Amino acid sequence: MQNNKFGQIPMVDLKEEAKLLRNPLLTELTEVLNSGGYILGEKGKKLEKVASSYLGTSYSLGVGNGTDALILALKALDIGPGDEVITTPFTFFATAEAIAQTGAKPVFVDIEETTYNIDPEKLEEKITHHTKAIMVVHLFGQAANMQEIKRIASDNNLYVIEDACQAFGTEYQGKKAGAIGDIGCFSFFPSKNFGAFGDGGLVTTNQKVWYEKINILRNHGSEQKYHHAAIGMNSRLDEFQAAILLTKFIYLDSYLHKRIEIARRYTHSFNNLFKTPTIPERRRHTFHQYCIELDKRDELAKELNNNGIASAIYYPIPLHLQKAFHYLDYQKGDFPIAEKAAQRILALPIFPTLSVEKQDYIISVVKKFAENNG
Ligand SMILES: *Cc1c(COP(=O)(O)O)cnc(C)c1O
């Protein structure tokens, strides 16, 4: 990547964030050091409380990462070999990987062209007597059509698991993502909307039985030391990450608001040039990613790179065409909307500390490209 007057503009700037939060972070982290407890301690408990109250769920459980959150949700619902779970092919690999890890079979359904999320209209025909759950993904920070998905789930006696790993703070009809289905799953991977400075995850639910089950499963199937009631996992959120997240919680809504503002400016500038994100009514898109769509995607990425601006493709290969899922026997052409998006989509830099000056520079480079390639 070349330099420009700002140096280089990355997709996300975690260094800047750490610099701004350095003092409150050090205070919180020192408290952990002074406590001498590093796993399943006071910070983790406090974070679970704060998260439940923010998200509007009865229970939250800190876990090792977002992938484990998904696996634990599936295990709590007794999903495993012989079961099918319906999900989207246009997501990060971990969504379907988690399903396969339990021994269940991922079954893909194509996406909506507007939101890039699973298309409820194509969902019902994929339900068989093996189907146990729908795992929806709120991709890029935009909620899926939960009303339709919940209706289909309830008509067919299926669970709804929300992969909200890209959607902390996202809203759908006044409710937070992760608080709408049966179980919600979040990732605190550093580059996410609400990230730690290491791995971390969260499971949310309103059901006490599932809460109790996951509470045991995340800790080797044990509630009481050396008494193991189930085959579980080792997947807990550590105290340092919880402390970092507690510090960042104070800034969460202002940071999400900044993302939304940056997205508005992009859309205002690009509306007539490319396909920009669609936001259906009564939804709060929190813009984990800001994506545009265009034929000359690779050329624009190259032009941005030549001007010192990062961009990224989420996701270049839909999951049904991944080598790891060859055994599912899907073909090219099975999910045309997802395949088309994979060819055309491009994510631009978006993060809370992206300055107006830098964004104006990005916009000017993109606009100039559009003029020369109209
Ligand atoms: C990041 C992500 C995951 C996995 O989260 P990790 O914390 O990295 O394990 C799962 N699903 C989606 C949609 C993600 O973006």
Side-chain angles (χ1 to χ4, degrees), residues 248-282:
K248 289 181 74 172
F249 231 117
I250 301 161
Y251 306 90
L252 174 62
D253 267 313
S254 76
Y255 277 8
L256 293 178
H257 189 71
K258 285 225 170 103
R259 284 177 181 274
I260 293 165
E261 252 176 21
I262 292 165
R264 269 199 201 118
R265 299 186 78 236
Y266 274 144
T267 295
H268 180 74
S269 310
F270 302 149
N271 232 346
N272 302 318
L273 303 173
F274 316 104
K275 184 175 168 222
T276 54
T278 313
I279 310 173
E281 261 181 42
R282 298 192 65 207

PDB file of all heavy atoms in Angstrom, residues 248-282:
ATOM      1  N   LYS A 248     -14.780  -0.359  27.831  1.00  0.00           N
ATOM      2  CA  LYS A 248     -15.272   0.065  26.517  1.00  0.00           C
ATOM      3  C   LYS A 248     -16.794   0.225  26.479  1.00  0.00           C
ATOM      4  O   LYS A 248     -17.322   0.942  25.625  1.00  0.00           O
ATOM      5  CB  LYS A 248     -14.808  -0.924  25.439  1.00  0.00           C
ATOM      6  CG  LYS A 248     -13.300  -0.811  25.173  1.00  0.00           C
ATOM      7  CD  LYS A 248     -12.812  -1.763  24.107  1.00  0.00           C
ATOM      8  CE  LYS A 248     -13.229  -1.332  22.719  1.00  0.00           C
ATOM      9  NZ  LYS A 248     -12.594  -2.173  21.670  1.00  0.00           N
ATOM     10  N   PHE A 249     -17.472  -0.433  27.413  1.00  0.00           N
ATOM     11  CA  PHE A 249     -18.937  -0.335  27.471  1.00  0.00           C
ATOM     12  C   PHE A 249     -19.391   1.117  27.607  1.00  0.00           C
ATOM     13  O   PHE A 249     -20.405   1.533  27.037  1.00  0.00           O
ATOM     14  CB  PHE A 249     -19.499  -1.155  28.632  1.00  0.00           C
ATOM     15  CG  PHE A 249     -20.600  -2.083  28.208  1.00  0.00           C
ATOM     16  CD1 PHE A 249     -20.450  -3.460  28.326  1.00  0.00           C
ATOM     17  CD2 PHE A 249     -21.784  -1.589  27.674  1.00  0.00           C
ATOM     18  CE1 PHE A 249     -21.453  -4.319  27.909  1.00  0.00           C
ATOM     19  CE2 PHE A 249     -22.796  -2.447  27.256  1.00  0.00           C
ATOM     20  CZ  PHE A 249     -22.626  -3.816  27.379  1.00  0.00           C
ATOM     21  N   ILE A 250     -18.625   1.893  28.363  1.00  0.00           N
ATOM     22  CA  ILE A 250     -18.976   3.300  28.602  1.00  0.00           C
ATOM     23  C   ILE A 250     -19.053   4.068  27.283  1.00  0.00           C
ATOM     24  O   ILE A 250     -19.856   4.978  27.126  1.00  0.00           O
ATOM     25  CB  ILE A 250     -17.932   3.946  29.550  1.00  0.00           C
ATOM     26  CG1 ILE A 250     -17.908   3.186  30.874  1.00  0.00           C
ATOM     27  CG2 ILE A 250     -18.197   5.431  29.748  1.00  0.00           C
ATOM     28  CD1 ILE A 250     -16.655   3.413  31.691  1.00  0.00           C
ATOM     29  N   TYR A 251     -18.229   3.661  26.313  1.00  0.00           N
ATOM     30  CA  TYR A 251     -18.156   4.385  25.045  1.00  0.00           C
ATOM     31  C   TYR A 251     -18.946   3.712  23.927  1.00  0.00           C
ATOM     32  O   TYR A 251     -18.990   4.210  22.806  1.00  0.00           O
ATOM     33  CB  TYR A 251     -16.687   4.523  24.617  1.00  0.00           C
ATOM     34  CG  TYR A 251     -15.837   5.145  25.699  1.00  0.00           C
ATOM     35  CD1 TYR A 251     -15.196   4.356  26.655  1.00  0.00           C
ATOM     36  CD2 TYR A 251     -15.719   6.530  25.789  1.00  0.00           C
ATOM     37  CE1 TYR A 251     -14.443   4.930  27.661  1.00  0.00           C
ATOM     38  CE2 TYR A 251     -14.974   7.117  26.794  1.00  0.00           C
ATOM     39  CZ  TYR A 251     -14.341   6.303  27.734  1.00  0.00           C
ATOM     40  OH  TYR A 251     -13.613   6.874  28.726  1.00  0.00           O
ATOM     41  N   LEU A 252     -19.535   2.560  24.240  1.00  0.00           N
ATOM     42  CA  LEU A 252     -20.148   1.735  23.188  1.00  0.00           C
ATOM     43  C   LEU A 252     -21.139   2.511  22.322  1.00  0.00           C
ATOM     44  O   LEU A 252     -21.004   2.545  21.097  1.00  0.00           O
ATOM     45  CB  LEU A 252     -20.825   0.505  23.810  1.00  0.00           C
ATOM     46  CG  LEU A 252     -21.629  -0.377  22.850  1.00  0.00           C
ATOM     47  CD1 LEU A 252     -20.731  -0.975  21.776  1.00  0.00           C
ATOM     48  CD2 LEU A 252     -22.337  -1.493  23.614  1.00  0.00           C
ATOM     49  N   ASP A 253     -22.118   3.150  22.943  1.00  0.00           N
ATOM     50  CA  ASP A 253     -23.149   3.785  22.119  1.00  0.00           C
ATOM     51  C   ASP A 253     -22.633   4.978  21.336  1.00  0.00           C
ATOM     52  O   ASP A 253     -23.051   5.210  20.209  1.00  0.00           O
ATOM     53  CB  ASP A 253     -24.383   4.139  22.958  1.00  0.00           C
ATOM     54  CG  ASP A 253     -25.409   3.008  22.908  1.00  0.00           C
ATOM     55  OD1 ASP A 253     -25.686   2.519  21.793  1.00  0.00           O
ATOM     56  OD2 ASP A 253     -25.892   2.587  23.978  1.00  0.00           O
ATOM     57  N   SER A 254     -21.689   5.722  21.912  1.00  0.00           N
ATOM     58  CA  SER A 254     -21.136   6.841  21.148  1.00  0.00           C
ATOM     59  C   SER A 254     -20.285   6.305  19.989  1.00  0.00           C
ATOM     60  O   SER A 254     -20.270   6.893  18.900  1.00  0.00           O
ATOM     61  CB  SER A 254     -20.341   7.786  22.057  1.00  0.00           C
ATOM     62  OG  SER A 254     -19.096   7.240  22.372  1.00  0.00           O
ATOM     63  N   TYR A 255     -19.619   5.185  20.181  1.00  0.00           N
ATOM     64  CA  TYR A 255     -18.825   4.588  19.096  1.00  0.00           C
ATOM     65  C   TYR A 255     -19.733   4.050  17.989  1.00  0.00           C
ATOM     66  O   TYR A 255     -19.442   4.206  16.800  1.00  0.00           O
ATOM     67  CB  TYR A 255     -17.941   3.463  19.634  1.00  0.00           C
ATOM     68  CG  TYR A 255     -16.635   3.945  20.254  1.00  0.00           C
ATOM     69  CD1 TYR A 255     -16.385   5.298  20.459  1.00  0.00           C
ATOM     70  CD2 TYR A 255     -15.644   3.036  20.612  1.00  0.00           C
ATOM     71  CE1 TYR A 255     -15.198   5.730  21.018  1.00  0.00           C
ATOM     72  CE2 TYR A 255     -14.443   3.456  21.175  1.00  0.00           C
ATOM     73  CZ  TYR A 255     -14.224   4.811  21.379  1.00  0.00           C
ATOM     74  OH  TYR A 255     -13.045   5.221  21.926  1.00  0.00           O
ATOM     75  N   LEU A 256     -20.836   3.416  18.391  1.00  0.00           N
ATOM     76  CA  LEU A 256     -21.774   2.903  17.378  1.00  0.00           C
ATOM     77  C   LEU A 256     -22.378   4.068  16.602  1.00  0.00           C
ATOM     78  O   LEU A 256     -22.546   4.006  15.384  1.00  0.00           O
ATOM     79  CB  LEU A 256     -22.877   2.063  18.033  1.00  0.00           C
ATOM     80  CG  LEU A 256     -22.434   0.741  18.665  1.00  0.00           C
ATOM     81  CD1 LEU A 256     -23.624   0.035  19.312  1.00  0.00           C
ATOM     82  CD2 LEU A 256     -21.765  -0.182  17.649  1.00  0.00           C
ATOM     83  N   HIS A 257     -22.665   5.138  17.327  1.00  0.00           N
ATOM     84  CA  HIS A 257     -23.229   6.322  16.695  1.00  0.00           C
ATOM     85  C   HIS A 257     -22.257   6.894  15.661  1.00  0.00           C
ATOM     86  O   HIS A 257     -22.652   7.313  14.573  1.00  0.00           O
ATOM     87  CB  HIS A 257     -23.581   7.361  17.748  1.00  0.00           C
ATOM     88  CG  HIS A 257     -24.351   8.515  17.204  1.00  0.00           C
ATOM     89  ND1 HIS A 257     -25.666   8.388  16.797  1.00  0.00           N
ATOM     90  CD2 HIS A 257     -23.985   9.792  16.937  1.00  0.00           C
ATOM     91  CE1 HIS A 257     -26.066   9.552  16.319  1.00  0.00           C
ATOM     92  NE2 HIS A 257     -25.069  10.418  16.391  1.00  0.00           N
ATOM     93  N   LYS A 258     -20.973   6.896  15.993  1.00  0.00           N
ATOM     94  CA  LYS A 258     -19.962   7.388  15.042  1.00  0.00           C
ATOM     95  C   LYS A 258     -19.955   6.531  13.784  1.00  0.00           C
ATOM     96  O   LYS A 258     -19.866   7.033  12.666  1.00  0.00           O
ATOM     97  CB  LYS A 258     -18.573   7.367  15.697  1.00  0.00           C
ATOM     98  CG  LYS A 258     -18.370   8.493  16.698  1.00  0.00           C
ATOM     99  CD  LYS A 258     -16.998   9.137  16.499  1.00  0.00           C
ATOM    100  CE  LYS A 258     -16.882  10.411  17.319  1.00  0.00           C
ATOM    101  NZ  LYS A 258     -16.066  10.208  18.536  1.00  0.00           N
ATOM    102  N   ARG A 259     -20.042   5.207  13.961  1.00  0.00           N
ATOM    103  CA  ARG A 259     -20.084   4.309  12.795  1.00  0.00           C
ATOM    104  C   ARG A 259     -21.278   4.652  11.915  1.00  0.00           C
ATOM    105  O   ARG A 259     -21.167   4.708  10.681  1.00  0.00           O
ATOM    106  CB  ARG A 259     -20.219   2.854  13.252  1.00  0.00           C
ATOM    107  CG  ARG A 259     -18.959   2.246  13.793  1.00  0.00           C
ATOM    108  CD  ARG A 259     -19.223   0.820  14.275  1.00  0.00           C
ATOM    109  NE  ARG A 259     -18.029   0.222  14.821  1.00  0.00           N
ATOM    110  CZ  ARG A 259     -17.103  -0.417  14.092  1.00  0.00           C
ATOM    111  NH1 ARG A 259     -17.271  -0.573  12.805  1.00  0.00           N
ATOM    112  NH2 ARG A 259     -16.025  -0.912  14.661  1.00  0.00           N
ATOM    113  N   ILE A 260     -22.420   4.875  12.554  1.00  0.00           N
ATOM    114  CA  ILE A 260     -23.644   5.166  11.806  1.00  0.00           C
ATOM    115  C   ILE A 260     -23.495   6.485  11.037  1.00  0.00           C
ATOM    116  O   ILE A 260     -23.901   6.601   9.888  1.00  0.00           O
ATOM    117  CB  ILE A 260     -24.862   5.188  12.765  1.00  0.00           C
ATOM    118  CG1 ILE A 260     -25.115   3.771  13.305  1.00  0.00           C
ATOM    119  CG2 ILE A 260     -26.109   5.725  12.064  1.00  0.00           C
ATOM    120  CD1 ILE A 260     -26.033   3.696  14.509  1.00  0.00           C
ATOM    121  N   GLU A 261     -22.854   7.466  11.671  1.00  0.00           N
ATOM    122  CA  GLU A 261     -22.637   8.756  11.013  1.00  0.00           C
ATOM    123  C   GLU A 261     -21.713   8.619   9.807  1.00  0.00           C
ATOM    124  O   GLU A 261     -21.962   9.209   8.751  1.00  0.00           O
ATOM    125  CB  GLU A 261     -21.998   9.729  12.011  1.00  0.00           C
ATOM    126  CG  GLU A 261     -22.952  10.783  12.459  1.00  0.00           C
ATOM    127  CD  GLU A 261     -22.342  11.693  13.512  1.00  0.00           C
ATOM    128  OE1 GLU A 261     -21.094  11.776  13.629  1.00  0.00           O
ATOM    129  OE2 GLU A 261     -23.121  12.309  14.217  1.00  0.00           O
ATOM    130  N   ILE A 262     -20.649   7.854   9.980  1.00  0.00           N
ATOM    131  CA  ILE A 262     -19.709   7.635   8.876  1.00  0.00           C
ATOM    132  C   ILE A 262     -20.438   6.949   7.720  1.00  0.00           C
ATOM    133  O   ILE A 262     -20.280   7.323   6.552  1.00  0.00           O
ATOM    134  CB  ILE A 262     -18.499   6.803   9.356  1.00  0.00           C
ATOM    135  CG1 ILE A 262     -17.655   7.624  10.345  1.00  0.00           C
ATOM    136  CG2 ILE A 262     -17.651   6.335   8.181  1.00  0.00           C
ATOM    137  CD1 ILE A 262     -16.658   6.823  11.153  1.00  0.00           C
ATOM    138  N   ALA A 263     -21.265   5.967   8.055  1.00  0.00           N
ATOM    139  CA  ALA A 263     -22.026   5.250   7.026  1.00  0.00           C
ATOM    140  C   ALA A 263     -22.952   6.207   6.267  1.00  0.00           C
ATOM    141  O   ALA A 263     -23.063   6.145   5.046  1.00  0.00           O
ATOM    142  CB  ALA A 263     -22.831   4.119   7.664  1.00  0.00           C
ATOM    143  N   ARG A 264     -23.592   7.106   7.015  1.00  0.00           N
ATOM    144  CA  ARG A 264     -24.502   8.069   6.377  1.00  0.00           C
ATOM    145  C   ARG A 264     -23.763   8.935   5.369  1.00  0.00           C
ATOM    146  O   ARG A 264     -24.267   9.211   4.283  1.00  0.00           O
ATOM    147  CB  ARG A 264     -25.125   8.981   7.443  1.00  0.00           C
ATOM    148  CG  ARG A 264     -26.398   8.429   7.967  1.00  0.00           C
ATOM    149  CD  ARG A 264     -27.246   9.510   8.649  1.00  0.00           C
ATOM    150  NE  ARG A 264     -28.167   8.820   9.527  1.00  0.00           N
ATOM    151  CZ  ARG A 264     -28.211   8.958  10.842  1.00  0.00           C
ATOM    152  NH1 ARG A 264     -27.433   9.844  11.452  1.00  0.00           N
ATOM    153  NH2 ARG A 264     -29.047   8.254  11.566  1.00  0.00           N
ATOM    154  N   ARG A 265     -22.557   9.361   5.753  1.00  0.00           N
ATOM    155  CA  ARG A 265     -21.776  10.219   4.853  1.00  0.00           C
ATOM    156  C   ARG A 265     -21.359   9.447   3.601  1.00  0.00           C
ATOM    157  O   ARG A 265     -21.389   9.990   2.498  1.00  0.00           O
ATOM    158  CB  ARG A 265     -20.555  10.793   5.575  1.00  0.00           C
ATOM    159  CG  ARG A 265     -20.942  11.669   6.769  1.00  0.00           C
ATOM    160  CD  ARG A 265     -19.739  12.363   7.388  1.00  0.00           C
ATOM    161  NE  ARG A 265     -19.321  13.504   6.612  1.00  0.00           N
ATOM    162  CZ  ARG A 265     -18.097  13.676   6.116  1.00  0.00           C
ATOM    163  NH1 ARG A 265     -17.179  12.758   6.298  1.00  0.00           N
ATOM    164  NH2 ARG A 265     -17.800  14.749   5.437  1.00  0.00           N
ATOM    165  N   TYR A 266     -20.951   8.197   3.789  1.00  0.00           N
ATOM    166  CA  TYR A 266     -20.613   7.374   2.616  1.00  0.00           C
ATOM    167  C   TYR A 266     -21.826   7.248   1.700  1.00  0.00           C
ATOM    168  O   TYR A 266     -21.730   7.464   0.487  1.00  0.00           O
ATOM    169  CB  TYR A 266     -20.200   5.965   3.053  1.00  0.00           C
ATOM    170  CG  TYR A 266     -18.748   5.762   3.424  1.00  0.00           C
ATOM    171  CD1 TYR A 266     -18.397   4.891   4.466  1.00  0.00           C
ATOM    172  CD2 TYR A 266     -17.708   6.388   2.729  1.00  0.00           C
ATOM    173  CE1 TYR A 266     -17.073   4.658   4.817  1.00  0.00           C
ATOM    174  CE2 TYR A 266     -16.373   6.162   3.075  1.00  0.00           C
ATOM    175  CZ  TYR A 266     -16.061   5.291   4.111  1.00  0.00           C
ATOM    176  OH  TYR A 266     -14.757   5.060   4.449  1.00  0.00           O
ATOM    177  N   THR A 267     -22.971   6.879   2.286  1.00  0.00           N
ATOM    178  CA  THR A 267     -24.162   6.634   1.475  1.00  0.00           C
ATOM    179  C   THR A 267     -24.591   7.910   0.745  1.00  0.00           C
ATOM    180  O   THR A 267     -24.947   7.876  -0.434  1.00  0.00           O
ATOM    181  CB  THR A 267     -25.302   6.086   2.353  1.00  0.00           C
ATOM    182  OG1 THR A 267     -24.900   4.804   2.843  1.00  0.00           O
ATOM    183  CG2 THR A 267     -26.604   5.938   1.576  1.00  0.00           C
ATOM    184  N   HIS A 268     -24.539   9.025   1.452  1.00  0.00           N
ATOM    185  CA  HIS A 268     -24.891  10.305   0.850  1.00  0.00           C
ATOM    186  C   HIS A 268     -24.001  10.579  -0.365  1.00  0.00           C
ATOM    187  O   HIS A 268     -24.456  11.093  -1.389  1.00  0.00           O
ATOM    188  CB  HIS A 268     -24.737  11.413   1.899  1.00  0.00           C
ATOM    189  CG  HIS A 268     -25.075  12.768   1.383  1.00  0.00           C
ATOM    190  ND1 HIS A 268     -26.377  13.160   1.149  1.00  0.00           N
ATOM    191  CD2 HIS A 268     -24.296  13.813   1.022  1.00  0.00           C
ATOM    192  CE1 HIS A 268     -26.373  14.388   0.681  1.00  0.00           C
ATOM    193  NE2 HIS A 268     -25.115  14.804   0.584  1.00  0.00           N
ATOM    194  N   SER A 269     -22.733  10.218  -0.291  1.00  0.00           N
ATOM    195  CA  SER A 269     -21.785  10.487  -1.374  1.00  0.00           C
ATOM    196  C   SER A 269     -21.879   9.488  -2.522  1.00  0.00           C
ATOM    197  O   SER A 269     -21.561   9.814  -3.661  1.00  0.00           O
ATOM    198  CB  SER A 269     -20.354  10.469  -0.844  1.00  0.00           C
ATOM    199  OG  SER A 269     -20.225  11.284   0.290  1.00  0.00           O
ATOM    200  N   PHE A 270     -22.258   8.248  -2.211  1.00  0.00           N
ATOM    201  CA  PHE A 270     -22.167   7.179  -3.227  1.00  0.00           C
ATOM    202  C   PHE A 270     -23.512   6.705  -3.781  1.00  0.00           C
ATOM    203  O   PHE A 270     -23.541   5.849  -4.667  1.00  0.00           O
ATOM    204  CB  PHE A 270     -21.449   5.954  -2.646  1.00  0.00           C
ATOM    205  CG  PHE A 270     -20.066   6.236  -2.136  1.00  0.00           C
ATOM    206  CD1 PHE A 270     -19.552   5.512  -1.063  1.00  0.00           C
ATOM    207  CD2 PHE A 270     -19.276   7.202  -2.729  1.00  0.00           C
ATOM    208  CE1 PHE A 270     -18.274   5.760  -0.587  1.00  0.00           C
ATOM    209  CE2 PHE A 270     -17.992   7.460  -2.258  1.00  0.00           C
ATOM    210  CZ  PHE A 270     -17.495   6.730  -1.186  1.00  0.00           C
ATOM    211  N   ASN A 271     -24.580   7.227  -3.191  1.00  0.00           N
ATOM    212  CA  ASN A 271     -25.920   6.779  -3.532  1.00  0.00           C
ATOM    213  C   ASN A 271     -26.182   6.609  -5.018  1.00  0.00           C
ATOM    214  O   ASN A 271     -26.802   5.645  -5.452  1.00  0.00           O
ATOM    215  CB  ASN A 271     -26.917   7.799  -2.989  1.00  0.00           C
ATOM    216  CG  ASN A 271     -27.963   7.100  -2.179  1.00  0.00           C
ATOM    217  OD1 ASN A 271     -28.073   5.875  -2.245  1.00  0.00           O
ATOM    218  ND2 ASN A 271     -28.718   7.851  -1.413  1.00  0.00           N
ATOM    219  N   ASN A 272     -25.711   7.576  -5.813  1.00  0.00           N
ATOM    220  CA  ASN A 272     -26.013   7.548  -7.248  1.00  0.00           C
ATOM    221  C   ASN A 272     -24.969   6.788  -8.047  1.00  0.00           C
ATOM    222  O   ASN A 272     -25.090   6.655  -9.253  1.00  0.00           O
ATOM    223  CB  ASN A 272     -26.121   8.982  -7.777  1.00  0.00           C
ATOM    224  CG  ASN A 272     -27.183   9.760  -7.028  1.00  0.00           C
ATOM    225  OD1 ASN A 272     -28.259   9.231  -6.752  1.00  0.00           O
ATOM    226  ND2 ASN A 272     -26.875  10.999  -6.675  1.00  0.00           N
ATOM    227  N   LEU A 273     -23.935   6.338  -7.373  1.00  0.00           N
ATOM    228  CA  LEU A 273     -22.814   5.702  -8.091  1.00  0.00           C
ATOM    229  C   LEU A 273     -22.823   4.188  -7.988  1.00  0.00           C
ATOM    230  O   LEU A 273     -22.535   3.482  -8.938  1.00  0.00           O
ATOM    231  CB  LEU A 273     -21.478   6.238  -7.538  1.00  0.00           C
ATOM    232  CG  LEU A 273     -21.289   7.760  -7.588  1.00  0.00           C
ATOM    233  CD1 LEU A 273     -20.017   8.165  -6.868  1.00  0.00           C
ATOM    234  CD2 LEU A 273     -21.254   8.223  -9.047  1.00  0.00           C
ATOM    235  N   PHE A 274     -23.115   3.678  -6.779  1.00  0.00           N
ATOM    236  CA  PHE A 274     -23.064   2.236  -6.546  1.00  0.00           C
ATOM    237  C   PHE A 274     -24.263   1.801  -5.727  1.00  0.00           C
ATOM    238  O   PHE A 274     -24.990   2.623  -5.186  1.00  0.00           O
ATOM    239  CB  PHE A 274     -21.822   1.844  -5.719  1.00  0.00           C
ATOM    240  CG  PHE A 274     -20.567   2.504  -6.133  1.00  0.00           C
ATOM    241  CD1 PHE A 274     -20.038   3.544  -5.375  1.00  0.00           C
ATOM    242  CD2 PHE A 274     -19.884   2.082  -7.265  1.00  0.00           C
ATOM    243  CE1 PHE A 274     -18.852   4.154  -5.751  1.00  0.00           C
ATOM    244  CE2 PHE A 274     -18.702   2.686  -7.637  1.00  0.00           C
ATOM    245  CZ  PHE A 274     -18.184   3.727  -6.890  1.00  0.00           C
ATOM    246  N   LYS A 275     -24.371   0.475  -5.581  1.00  0.00           N
ATOM    247  CA  LYS A 275     -25.346  -0.062  -4.622  1.00  0.00           C
ATOM    248  C   LYS A 275     -24.773   0.158  -3.221  1.00  0.00           C
ATOM    249  O   LYS A 275     -23.677  -0.300  -2.900  1.00  0.00           O
ATOM    250  CB  LYS A 275     -25.565  -1.544  -4.892  1.00  0.00           C
ATOM    251  CG  LYS A 275     -26.623  -2.142  -3.992  1.00  0.00           C
ATOM    252  CD  LYS A 275     -26.932  -3.592  -4.338  1.00  0.00           C
ATOM    253  CE  LYS A 275     -27.773  -4.201  -3.231  1.00  0.00           C
ATOM    254  NZ  LYS A 275     -27.370  -5.545  -2.890  1.00  0.00           N
ATOM    255  N   THR A 276     -25.537   0.883  -2.389  1.00  0.00           N
ATOM    256  CA  THR A 276     -25.120   1.165  -1.006  1.00  0.00           C
ATOM    257  C   THR A 276     -26.062   0.398  -0.058  1.00  0.00           C
ATOM    258  O   THR A 276     -27.094  -0.092  -0.496  1.00  0.00           O
ATOM    259  CB  THR A 276     -25.197   2.687  -0.729  1.00  0.00           C
ATOM    260  OG1 THR A 276     -26.510   3.130  -1.061  1.00  0.00           O
ATOM    261  CG2 THR A 276     -24.169   3.456  -1.541  1.00  0.00           C
ATOM    262  N   PRO A 277     -25.714   0.310   1.228  1.00  0.00           N
ATOM    263  CA  PRO A 277     -26.547  -0.509   2.133  1.00  0.00           C
ATOM    264  C   PRO A 277     -27.998  -0.033   2.232  1.00  0.00           C
ATOM    265  O   PRO A 277     -28.266   1.163   2.302  1.00  0.00           O
ATOM    266  CB  PRO A 277     -25.855  -0.336   3.491  1.00  0.00           C
ATOM    267  CG  PRO A 277     -24.444   0.013   3.164  1.00  0.00           C
ATOM    268  CD  PRO A 277     -24.512   0.835   1.912  1.00  0.00           C
ATOM    269  N   THR A 278     -28.899  -0.997   2.208  1.00  0.00           N
ATOM    270  CA  THR A 278     -30.328  -0.733   2.390  1.00  0.00           C
ATOM    271  C   THR A 278     -30.648  -0.961   3.861  1.00  0.00           C
ATOM    272  O   THR A 278     -30.231  -1.969   4.426  1.00  0.00           O
ATOM    273  CB  THR A 278     -31.170  -1.763   1.600  1.00  0.00           C
ATOM    274  OG1 THR A 278     -30.631  -1.868   0.297  1.00  0.00           O
ATOM    275  CG2 THR A 278     -32.634  -1.375   1.539  1.00  0.00           C
ATOM    276  N   ILE A 279     -31.396  -0.049   4.470  1.00  0.00           N
ATOM    277  CA  ILE A 279     -31.808  -0.280   5.858  1.00  0.00           C
ATOM    278  C   ILE A 279     -33.325  -0.266   5.924  1.00  0.00           C
ATOM    279  O   ILE A 279     -33.945   0.795   5.853  1.00  0.00           O
ATOM    280  CB  ILE A 279     -31.238   0.788   6.815  1.00  0.00           C
ATOM    281  CG1 ILE A 279     -29.729   0.945   6.582  1.00  0.00           C
ATOM    282  CG2 ILE A 279     -31.530   0.418   8.272  1.00  0.00           C
ATOM    283  CD1 ILE A 279     -29.098   2.081   7.356  1.00  0.00           C
ATOM    284  N   PRO A 280     -33.950  -1.456   6.036  1.00  0.00           N
ATOM    285  CA  PRO A 280     -35.405  -1.491   6.162  1.00  0.00           C
ATOM    286  C   PRO A 280     -35.858  -0.737   7.421  1.00  0.00           C
ATOM    287  O   PRO A 280     -35.060  -0.502   8.325  1.00  0.00           O
ATOM    288  CB  PRO A 280     -35.724  -2.980   6.276  1.00  0.00           C
ATOM    289  CG  PRO A 280     -34.522  -3.679   5.726  1.00  0.00           C
ATOM    290  CD  PRO A 280     -33.366  -2.786   6.035  1.00  0.00           C
ATOM    291  N   GLU A 281     -37.133  -0.403   7.458  1.00  0.00           N
ATOM    292  CA  GLU A 281     -37.675   0.381   8.572  1.00  0.00           C
ATOM    293  C   GLU A 281     -37.516  -0.279   9.929  1.00  0.00           C
ATOM    294  O   GLU A 281     -37.527  -1.499  10.025  1.00  0.00           O
ATOM    295  CB  GLU A 281     -39.169   0.619   8.313  1.00  0.00           C
ATOM    296  CG  GLU A 281     -39.423   1.994   7.726  1.00  0.00           C
ATOM    297  CD  GLU A 281     -40.892   2.244   7.503  1.00  0.00           C
ATOM    298  OE1 GLU A 281     -41.701   1.884   8.375  1.00  0.00           O
ATOM    299  OE2 GLU A 281     -41.207   2.807   6.444  1.00  0.00           O
ATOM    300  N   ARG A 282     -37.436   0.542  10.939  1.00  0.00           N
ATOM    301  CA  ARG A 282     -37.353   0.106  12.331  1.00  0.00           C
ATOM    302  C   ARG A 282     -36.172  -0.834  12.605  1.00  0.00           C
ATOM    303  O   ARG A 282     -36.280  -1.814  13.330  1.00  0.00           O
ATOM    304  CB  ARG A 282     -38.674  -0.543  12.787  1.00  0.00           C
ATOM    305  CG  ARG A 282     -39.849   0.426  12.728  1.00  0.00           C
ATOM    306  CD  ARG A 282     -41.057  -0.120  13.439  1.00  0.00           C
ATOM    307  NE  ARG A 282     -40.821  -0.277  14.860  1.00  0.00           N
ATOM    308  CZ  ARG A 282     -41.447  -1.167  15.621  1.00  0.00           C
ATOM    309  NH1 ARG A 282     -42.322  -1.996  15.089  1.00  0.00           N
ATOM    310  NH2 ARG A 282     -41.198  -1.252  16.904  1.00  0.00           N
TER     311      ARG A 282
END
